[in-house]
Amino acid sequence: GEDVEQSLFLSVREGDSSVINCTYTDSSSTYLYWYKQEPGAGLQLLTYIFSNMDMKQDQRLTVLLNKKDKHLSLRIADTQTGDSAIYFCADPSGYALNFGKGTSLLVTP
Amino acid sequence: DTGVSQDPRHKITKRGQNVTFRCDPISEHNRLYWYRQTLGQGPEFLTYFQNEAQLEKSRLLSDRFSAERPKGSFSTLEIQRTEQGDSAMYLCASSRLGTGEGYGYTFGSGTRLTVV
């Protein structure tokens, strides 16, 4: 995960929006991904964005991509307590995915 | 299809012992990956199979680690002479060639290894 940087913690109140940010270094990536990991579980693919898009909306999730700055963000609208988890940004490198260290999202009532 | 299955879920072993983990990918997926995740870190790539061929190995995969996918279906990851630094969650993932990278991978729930 050295090439993918994320802030480590985010705390929001239930009902507010959450924004998780990520910077990456591999500019040749065709897709960029967001994964969610709940305690003791594997990773669940949340959403992805094609590199020629600036924005993608999927229900409560909005992904913004700034290719010039190599910056990716995930916005969760109307955040619920069930959204509390670790969120990983991932950038393909060859056959592998490079993951950041993850952002731990805590949603308080 | 129940997704990617990993067995066991947890393994505690003494330092110096050998351990083997199994991964059953989604049946129509011909790509299979192993990752390692330590506490507070994101998953790190270990190795990749396309069908039965092991096409890429990370430098993290020392000589004590070996992975196989004998018939292009399930895969095993063996760690010989385990060390305390091997304690981690070992994640398996699979994907299907030709569906477009936008589908990403499907991960299993992982095998948590503790070396005491």
Side-chain angles (χ1 to χ4, degrees):
Chain A
E2 294 174 359
D3 299 332
V4 178
E5 302 266 345
Q6 297 179 239
S7 53
L8 295 182
F9 299 102
L10 177 65
S11 179
V12 300
R13 287 188 176 273
E14 191 175 16
D16 288 349
S17 293
S18 309
V19 179
I20 301 171
N21 294 302
C22 168
T23 57
Y24 62 96
T25 57
D26 188 346
S27 60
S28 64
S29 304
T30 306
Y31 291 90
L32 292 155
Y33 303 91
W34 283 103
Y35 281 84
K36 175 183 179 182
Q37 186 175 36
E38 297 184 12
L43 279 74
Q44 172 195 353
L45 177 64
L46 268 184
T47 189
Y48 61 91
I49 187 166
F50 189 46
S51 59
N52 69 353
M53 296 171 67
D54 297 324
M55 185 180 85
K56 177 181 177 182
Q57 188 145 5
D58 183 0
Q59 299 182 337
R60 291 190 299 122
L61 305 178
T62 303
V63 179
L64 295 177
L65 175 61
N66 181 330
K67 249 194 126 171
K68 175 176 168 291
D69 294 339
K70 296 179 186 172
H71 183 265
L72 185 71
S73 69
L74 174 70
R75 179 176 179 268
I76 306 173
D78 187 26
T79 315
Q80 302 298 306
T81 54
D83 295 325
S84 292
I86 301 176
Y87 291 80
F88 292 94
C89 161
D91 170 24
S93 175
Y95 297 118
L97 285 178
N98 283 330
F99 287 88
K101 290 186 177 182
T103 299
S104 183
L105 174 65
L106 175 65
V107 183
T108 56
Chain B
D1 196 340
T2 56
V4 178
S5 300
Q6 292 190 246
D7 183 67
R9 289 295 307 275
H10 303 275
K11 177 72 177 179
I12 300 174
T13 191
K14 290 185 178 179
R15 190 162 47 98
Q17 297 294 305
N18 299 344
V19 293
T20 300
F21 310 139
R22 177 180 170 122
C23 172
D24 287 272
I26 292 173
S27 56
E28 63 265 30
H29 285 186
N30 49 10
R31 290 179 167 176
L32 186 147
Y33 312 81
W34 285 99
Y35 281 76
R36 181 178 71 184
Q37 185 179 22
T38 52
L39 202 61
Q41 303 293 318
E44 296 172 297
F45 171 75
L46 291 178
T47 190
Y48 156 66
F49 290 86
Q50 185 163 303
N51 299 312
E52 65 274 11
Q54 188 173 16
L55 295 186
E56 191 168 339
K57 289 195 284 188
S58 160
R59 59 180 169 77
L60 293 175
L61 213 68
S62 75
D63 290 346
R64 297 184 297 105
F65 287 69
S66 62
E68 293 183 344
R69 194 182 183 199
K71 296 182 181 177
S73 57
F74 73 92
S75 175
T76 57
L77 178 68
E78 182 184 15
I79 309 174
Q80 296 183 325
R81 304 181 303 281
T82 51
E83 301 173 355
Q84 286 188 319
D86 297 330
S87 295
M89 174 82 89
Y90 290 85
L91 293 162
C92 177
S94 68
S95 69
R96 187 170 56 182
L97 179 66
T99 56
E101 296 304 320
Y103 286 87
Y105 305 168
T106 301
F107 278 88
S109 297
T111 294
R112 181 167 295 285
L113 173 67
T114 303
V115 181
V116 297

